[in-house]
Amino acid sequence: MRVAIASDHAGFEQKAPLAQYLSDKGFTVIDEGPDNAERVDYPDYAKRVADAVAEGRADRGVLICGTGIGMAIAADKVHGIRAANIINPEFAALCREHNDANVITLSGRFVSLEENKRILDAFFETDFGGGRHAGRVEKIMALEN
Ligand code: RB5
């Protein structure tokens, strides 16, 4: 699986270790930046990862900012993206099972690196449940039209 990852300055410290964590698990990680911890605008990096997923260059996306909130709001503006801001492993599993989320956004300031690793485990190990959830996700995507 190809995973695009990016952060802003507030998520930068966790980006490399999380990218390495995913790489060690066998994922192909595409680092969409930034290259340093200088102040940047999170929508620019949300767009990079969202575009990579929407255009099929990546299967999933991971975004890290201070809260994860701005990254989710921005990424969800891109057609084809279902981004969820997640702060615990239970919600990570549910955003996959119920919502078929294809981008996860994380908090670099309020959630520890170790907890974010557990969140990524749940996100990548949980399949979409389909069934009654499928029609609801279709209705979400129809809102883009
Ligand atoms: C940057 O200060 C902060 O606003 C950003 O990282 C993020 O938390 C926005 O949602």
Side-chain angles (χ1 to χ4, degrees):
M1 184 181 295
R2 299 157 303 162
V3 180
I5 189 168
S7 73
D8 70 354
H9 50 285
F12 182 75
E13 194 177 316
Q14 289 201 19
K15 178 165 68 75
L18 290 176
Q20 187 63 53
Y21 184 68
L22 293 175
S23 179
D24 289 345
K25 285 183 170 285
F27 295 108
T28 300
V29 178
I30 306 158
D31 190 337
E32 295 283 351
D35 296 330
N36 58 62
E38 282 176 26
R39 193 170 298 275
V40 293
D41 295 332
Y42 59 82
D44 298 336
Y45 290 88
K47 177 171 166 44
R48 290 187 188 195
V49 164
D51 283 349
V53 174
E55 293 166 9
R57 289 180 280 113
D59 303 298
R60 300 264 183 87
V62 176
L63 289 161
I64 317 139
C65 65
T67 58
I69 295 170
M71 286 293 202
I73 292 171
D76 272 320
K77 298 290 184 193
V78 175
H79 281 200
I81 296 305
R82 293 177 298 280
N85 181 204
I86 299 296
I87 59 170
N88 63 50
E90 292 78 11
F91 276 30
L94 285 167
C95 82
R96 288 287 312 126
E97 187 183 335
H98 287 206
N99 315 114
D100 199 16
N102 51 13
V103 172
I104 188 167
T105 75
L106 305 174
S107 167
R109 282 185 175 153
F110 296 92
V111 178
S112 71
L113 177 62
E114 292 310 308
E115 183 74 344
N116 274 333
K117 288 178 181 175
R118 288 188 283 272
I119 286 170
L120 290 181
D121 285 344
F123 181 71
F124 285 106
E125 288 168 8
T126 306
D127 292 328
F128 179 46
R132 70 185 189 281
H133 305 299
R136 295 166 185 164
V137 171
E138 281 171 20
K139 287 187 177 186
I140 293 173
M141 302 321 287
L143 295 173
E144 292 180 347
N145 301 322

